[in-house]
Amino acid sequence: MRPVRILLVTLAFTCFSITSSIAQESFSISAKVVDTKQQAIPVTARVLLPADSSLITGKLFETGHVQIPQIAHLKVLLKLSSVAFTDTTFFIESNGRQEVDLGNIILKEQSQLLDEVRVTGQPPLVKYGKNGSIEVQVPGTLLAGSSTVMELLERSPGLSVTDGRISFIGKGEAIIFLNNRPITIEQLAAIAVNQILRVEILANPSSRYDAEGKAVINIIIKSHRQAGVAGSATQQYSYSDYAGGESNSLFDVNYMKNKIALAANFGLLAGKNREVLYTTRTRPNPEEYLRSELTTDWKRKYDDFVNMGLGVQYDVNARSGFSLSYRGNFDDQRGSQESRNRITTISESNLYRSYINKNEDRRNHSYILNYNNKLDSAGSALFIGSQYTRYRTATNDLINENNLVNDNELTKVIRNEVAQDISISSTQADFTKVLNGDRRLEAGVKFSYANNNSGTDFLVGDETGVFEPDTELSSNFKYKEMLPAAYLNYNTTLGKSVNVAVGLRGEWTHFNLNTTAGKGQVITSSYLNIFPNIFLSKSLTERLKVRASYVSKITRPRYQALNPFVIYQDPFTTIEGNPTLKPEKIHAFELGANCGALDVRAGFNYTVDPLSAAALRGTKPNSYVLKALNLQKDYTFLTSVSYSLNLSWWNSTNTATVTYSKSIDNQFDFVFFSPKPQIYLYSSNTFNVRNLFKVQVLAWYLGDRYYGLYYNKNRSTVTLGIEKAFFANAFTMRFTANDIFHQTNAAGTYSVGQTDIYFDRSFSTNYFRLAATYRFGKSAKVTFNSRSTGEAENSRAR
């Protein structure tokens, strides 16, 4: 940790040297806030730092007479907020004055909002918050050319996407929010990328958020609806030599009149996708020598991948309102899965081949009912919400085996029928009370219930075409879980420059698991977890801020990871769940500092029972089972430096992170690797060419990772984009060359149970894409409020 301390001291000295010559004389601000009829109105006044809008002080003034004394900064922002009126912000510079009197300030009602003001320039890609949060801007960057939100997140600094899971480098898997409302990964597909304003990455989330997330990703949609109709339509076409063509159509529309607001979106994905996994398994012991070379090629064909959403909001008054919304997707996946496994032993060498005609249908539906009430203009609020979600999957695959064993050709036909039905309901209430001064109290409760029923049947065909059940591979699974939770947060400011936030969250879990797999198993258990967290920040100068935090979290196994049903890959390879999995518990510590465009952080994570996976030897001599498992513990150290440059013609964001991880386990006979540091480098650059068009270049590199039990090979990507806007930005064309060198494949090695395993998984990420977006209607600040309450549970249904 010594290099981190040296870096922090150097940063502090540099920023102090820059600002020490500036005299720090305090001054006061006074004003009278009125409406258009010159009537005084209650108002909340907040004094903010111009650099990052962090709060210096704030207070509710019931009479509208604002008086804020002893402001120890030369330049500040004054933000005025009042219910039913548009927020108004002033830039104020003392210029040696002891008092700045703004006189009468007239706030406009929300119905008098002006048309959107367009600002031409290079927006910075990243802003850093005082609590260690990262705000990633989307418009005008290469991220805006993404076809899906998942792709956008993969291009964001500090985030990685593997097997549909989104992780923050050095922290772990994150949960997803939309406008501060939790949503599922599946629902991301229904969001038009051109509607996203920014992505907020919360590395140290408070107790208000579900304990499930090691980090929180909050996607902020543009607030741009007013009376009338507005929307956008986007058409994208991508082509890759590796996979083929793919078409993605997105449409969204919003309507508002008086107290009623409507919102709808629709997405249609069609085309092809490909993934290839090459695996070798070697048992070097001469007495039981085996070498398996397995190649599995998934050629997916998307038939009518439809995502849609519909919502209605009714505003009872300026303070409160109800909303009801629906989100769903209807996915029909076809295509094939080809496997080729050459198994060589001391005595023989045989070839096992299988071809699967894929036929999978998914029907996911989510219904959300919300009530919001702004209790006062200071920010006090009450939220009550409920959500019901149902995930249904039906699979009817036809498996054809064609094996060459001892020079004899052996064939077999197998049908695999799977039915999965997961229903999740959750209800929660959140209360926020802004007390006098800078104090804020947050409290909430939540109750969720999950019911998972699934069954898999394997039927083997004989020579006459009659299929008989294979009772050894077939099974049924039932899982029920209740999870009540409550939290309490308190935020305050000590003195003029120290911010303190403490929180506590409690979650009680009770579940019942019943499976017929193997000899059958019934597990019932209950456990209580308490998750404390604390956050401290201090402004040393106007530019330099330091912070420290501790956060405790949990990651529960996904519902299907507990299900021991069999997923067929080839005659000697299956994927099976593990009903004995335990949740992993994480303790995360972090120190950080921010000085303008420079941000530094250093942290340590300690994980108990970390969730992992491995290929373990099966019951047959040459068979292997891929399954999730718990290791004993994991230690991770990280340090990260980020810097942003923003010029009129060039915007650049750069991040360098070094992590050091060590996983420990004595249960599964892993071979130990000596841990080594892993390097992560990220750079995103946007060049404005004479205001005619934009050229965007993005690259990242994730270095080799040695973390005790596993080794992951380095990955990298380089992406180029060109963007041109027409007709006052109403129409935009984009061309993207993604992952030009096709180096994002996930590869690595590990050794367990006397077997050395190598894997290399390639994806169809190298493609060319042409996209066109048309926007229609006007813009204003009206937000449709729909908040999902079950993201932590829904994320485990994937």
Side-chain angles (χ1 to χ4, degrees):
M1 300 296 290
R2 186 176 180 182
V4 176
R5 291 197 296 269
I6 294 174
L7 185 59
L8 290 175
V9 171
T10 303
L11 175 62
F13 177 78
T14 302
C15 290
F16 179 77
S17 299
I18 294 173
T19 58
S20 59
S21 60
I22 302 176
Q24 296 294 315
E25 298 180 358
S26 64
F27 71 100
S28 63
I29 297 176
S30 60
K32 181 181 179 182
V33 181
V34 298
D35 59 16
T36 54
K37 298 179 182 179
Q38 297 297 315
Q39 299 295 314
I41 56 176
V43 65
T44 297
R46 298 180 177 89
V47 180
L48 313 172
L49 285 175
D52 60 0
S53 298
S54 59
L55 179 68
I56 300 173
T57 185
K59 186 178 179 181
L60 171 64
F61 297 91
E62 294 283 359
T63 64
H65 292 271
V66 176
Q67 186 70 37
I68 305 175
Q70 296 181 342
I71 301 173
H73 298 272
L74 297 177
K75 302 176 183 179
V76 297
L77 298 176
L78 176 65
K79 184 176 182 179
L80 304 174
S81 304
S82 185
V83 174
F85 292 86
T86 180
D87 291 350
T88 302
T89 303
F90 297 89
F91 175 77
I92 299 175
E93 188 172 2
S94 65
N95 292 325
R97 293 173 291 177
Q98 294 184 346
E99 181 180 2
V100 176
D101 187 356
L102 301 178
N104 284 6
I105 298 176
I106 301 175
L107 296 188
K108 294 182 179 294
E109 297 181 5
Q110 289 183 348
S111 60
Q112 296 177 308
L113 290 175
L114 299 176
D115 288 344
E116 178 185 17
V117 178
R118 299 189 181 275
V119 181
T120 301
Q122 288 279 82
L125 177 67
V126 171
K127 289 177 60 179
Y128 304 99
K130 64 179 182 179
N131 63 345
S133 62
I134 303 172
E135 290 188 4
V136 183
Q137 306 301 311
V138 175
T141 71
L142 186 61
L143 276 64
S146 305
S147 65
T148 64
V149 179
M150 187 70 78
E151 185 177 74
L152 182 150
L153 295 177
E154 190 173 21
R155 294 174 174 178
S156 299
L159 298 182
S160 67
V161 178
T162 305
D163 294 334
R165 301 185 181 189
I166 306 168
S167 298
F168 184 47
I169 300 286
K171 287 289 185 179
E173 190 173 353
I175 56 176
I176 313 298
F177 283 66
L178 177 66
N179 282 351
N180 300 304
R181 285 92 167 123
I183 63 170
T184 68
I185 290 291
E186 289 81 7
Q187 292 164 345
L188 288 179
I191 302 172
V193 172
N194 58 28
Q195 295 299 302
I196 298 178
L197 180 64
R198 66 181 183 272
V199 175
E200 298 175 348
I201 305 171
L202 308 180
N204 308 294
S206 71
S207 297
R208 183 185 185 99
Y209 296 95
D210 290 323
E212 190 71 25
K214 299 174 187 175
V216 170
I217 298 173
N218 188 22
I219 300 169
I220 304 298
I221 301 296
K222 298 175 184 177
S223 303
H224 60 180
R225 293 184 288 272
Q226 71 174 151
V229 179
S232 68
T234 300
Q235 181 61 50
Q236 301 172 335
Y237 181 77
S238 307
Y239 180 79
S240 166
D241 288 336
Y242 190 74
E246 181 180 280
S247 173
N248 194 17
S249 305
L250 296 169
F251 178 80
D252 67 274
V253 62
N254 309 286
Y255 170 80
M256 182 179 178
K257 184 175 182 180
N258 300 326
K259 295 184 176 183
I260 301 293
L262 302 175
N265 57 66
F266 177 85
L268 175 62
L269 175 67
K272 298 177 180 179
N273 185 279
R274 189 183 180 195
E275 179 182 344
V276 177
L277 173 62
Y278 174 71
T279 303
T280 65
R281 308 180 189 119
T282 305
R283 295 204 295 259
N285 187 344
E287 296 182 0
E288 55 173 2
Y289 175 81
L290 177 141
R291 179 172 176 82
S292 167
E293 296 184 69
L294 169 63
T295 301
T296 305
D297 190 349
W298 290 270
K299 296 178 180 178
R300 302 183 179 99
K301 181 181 179 183
Y302 298 139
D303 289 343
D304 300 329
F305 257 49
V306 176
N307 296 273
M308 63 181 64
L310 180 65
V312 57
Q313 176 176 306
Y314 175 74
D315 296 327
V316 178
N317 50 46
R319 292 178 178 266
S320 63
F322 294 88
S323 66
L324 176 65
S325 60
Y326 163 80
R327 300 187 186 115
N329 56 287
F330 306 82
D331 302 342
D332 299 334
Q333 182 177 305
R334 304 295 181 260
S336 64
Q337 174 185 324
E338 298 180 57
S339 293
R340 180 186 177 92
N341 191 358
R342 168 69 68 176
I343 298 179
T344 303
T345 65
I346 298 175
S347 58
E348 59 186 13
S349 178
N350 299 316
L351 180 62
Y352 300 89
R353 296 168 295 194
S354 64
Y355 182 91
I356 304 176
N357 286 303
K358 299 294 294 182
N359 186 354
E360 183 175 299
D361 298 327
R362 298 180 183 178
R363 303 291 183 264
N364 302 332
H365 308 277
S366 182
Y367 307 89
I368 304 166
L369 177 63
N370 292 164
Y371 169 73
N372 291 277
N373 191 342
K374 298 179 180 178
L375 301 177
D376 57 43
S377 58
S380 300
L382 173 67
F383 166 80
I384 301 174
S386 187
Q387 176 182 6
Y388 174 78
T389 305
R390 188 175 185 185
Y391 299 90
R392 289 187 297 171
T393 302
T395 301
N396 189 358
D397 292 345
L398 186 63
I399 305 168
N400 291 276
E401 291 185 2
N402 186 359
N403 306 320
L404 191 62
V405 180
N406 296 324
D407 295 327
N408 295 317
E409 187 170 344
L410 305 177
T411 62
K412 181 191 293 187
V413 179
I414 305 172
R415 282 213 327 253
N416 181 207
E417 300 174 353
V418 180
Q420 299 176 1
D421 192 341
I422 303 175
S423 60
I424 301 170
S425 61
S426 65
T427 300
Q428 77 178 61
D430 297 310
F431 173 74
T432 301
K433 177 62 179 177
V434 178
L435 307 173
N436 293 333
D438 300 323
R439 295 179 296 156
R440 175 186 294 265
L441 181 67
E442 298 176 331
V445 293
K446 178 180 177 180
F447 179 82
S448 62
Y449 175 79
N451 187 10
N452 180 2
N453 292 286
S454 65
T456 179
D457 292 320
F458 283 87
L459 301 98
V460 180
D462 60 19
E463 296 178 354
T464 63
V466 177
F467 286 85
E468 296 291 338
D470 186 328
T471 57
E472 182 179 350
L473 297 178
S474 303
S475 65
N476 293 314
F477 176 78
K478 294 182 179 180
Y479 180 86
K480 295 181 179 181
E481 179 185 272
M482 292 189 299
L483 203 162
Y487 73 88
L488 185 67
N489 281 330
Y490 180 71
N491 296 266
T492 188
T493 299
L494 303 178
K496 299 179 181 180
S497 59
V498 179
N499 180 261
V500 180
V502 293
L504 192 69
R505 186 180 184 92
E507 295 184 351
W508 181 74
T509 306
H510 173 79
F511 70 87
N512 178 270
L513 183 153
N514 189 330
T515 177
T516 63
K519 297 180 180 180
Q521 194 170 11
V522 177
I523 301 176
T524 300
S525 181
S526 301
Y527 54 88
L528 173 67
N529 293 108
I530 303 297
F531 306 97
N533 67 75
I534 184 169
F535 176 82
L536 302 171
S537 67
K538 179 175 175 57
S539 297
L540 299 180
T541 68
E542 187 172 341
R543 286 172 54 83
L544 177 61
K545 294 174 286 293
V546 294
R547 61 185 186 268
S549 67
Y550 162 73
V551 176
S552 57
K553 291 292 181 181
I554 191 172
T555 300
R556 298 179 179 86
R558 282 172 163 79
Y559 301 127
Q560 291 307 105
L562 297 167
N563 187 350
F565 80 140
V566 173
I567 299 176
Y568 179 98
Q569 190 166 352
D570 71 51
F572 290 93
T573 308
T574 59
I575 302 172
E576 300 177 17
N578 182 358
T580 64
L581 286 177
K582 296 178 289 186
E584 65 177 15
K585 294 165 281 293
I586 307 99
H587 303 273
F589 305 83
E590 184 175 295
L591 298 174
N594 177 263
C595 185
L598 180 65
D599 188 82
V600 179
R601 68 179 68 217
F604 167 69
N605 294 348
Y606 172 62
T607 305
V608 180
D609 298 322
L611 292 167
S612 186
L616 305 178
R617 294 176 67 168
T619 56
K620 299 179 181 179
N622 298 335
S623 66
Y624 282 85
V625 178
L626 310 179
K627 64 165 54 180
L629 47 84
N630 288 105
L631 305 178
Q632 287 181 303
K633 51 189 173 182
D634 180 90
Y635 303 94
T636 298
F637 300 86
L638 74 96
T639 181
S640 181
V641 179
S642 299
Y643 180 75
S644 296
L645 176 67
N646 188 31
L647 304 177
S648 60
W649 61 276
W650 177 28
N651 179 293
S652 181
T653 296
N654 305 277
T655 297
T657 301
V658 178
T659 59
Y660 177 90
S661 298
K662 182 179 180 180
S663 297
I664 298 174
D665 185 81
N666 297 312
Q667 309 167 79
F668 299 100
D669 195 21
F670 278 94
V671 174
F672 183 76
F673 284 98
S674 178
K676 298 179 182 179
Q678 181 187 34
I679 299 174
Y680 168 76
L681 302 174
Y682 174 94
S683 182
S684 177
N685 300 270
T686 300
F687 303 91
N688 190 339
V689 183
R690 299 176 180 255
N691 290 325
L692 296 176
F693 59 91
K694 293 180 180 179
V695 177
Q696 299 152 333
V697 181
L698 181 149
W700 57 257
Y701 170 81
L702 189 61
D704 291 335
R705 185 186 184 195
Y706 296 84
Y707 53 115
L709 307 180
Y710 300 87
Y711 159 70
N712 291 341
K713 189 177 181 296
N714 63 78
R715 306 164 58 195
S716 63
T717 191
V718 176
T719 296
L720 174 68
I722 300 176
E723 175 185 315
K724 172 66 177 176
F726 303 89
F727 312 119
N729 293 326
F731 183 76
T732 303
M733 292 288 295
R734 293 187 183 91
F735 172 79
T736 304
N738 195 76
D739 190 15
I740 297 174
F741 303 105
H742 202 193
Q743 294 294 315
T744 57
N745 56 305
T749 62
Y750 62 95
S751 297
V752 59
Q754 309 302 316
T755 303
D756 301 328
I757 298 170
Y758 168 80
F759 61 91
D760 189 342
R761 188 185 297 265
S762 300
F763 310 92
S764 54
T765 53
N766 64 324
Y767 57 77
F768 298 100
R769 172 177 296 148
L770 186 64
T773 298
Y774 174 70
R775 302 176 183 87
F776 57 91
K778 295 184 177 180
S779 299
K781 189 179 180 181
V782 177
T783 302
F784 183 88
N785 294 308
S786 176
R787 175 176 175 179
S788 170
T789 62
E791 164 58 13
E793 294 77 23
N794 286 318
S795 66
R796 294 166 61 202
R798 299 165 201 157

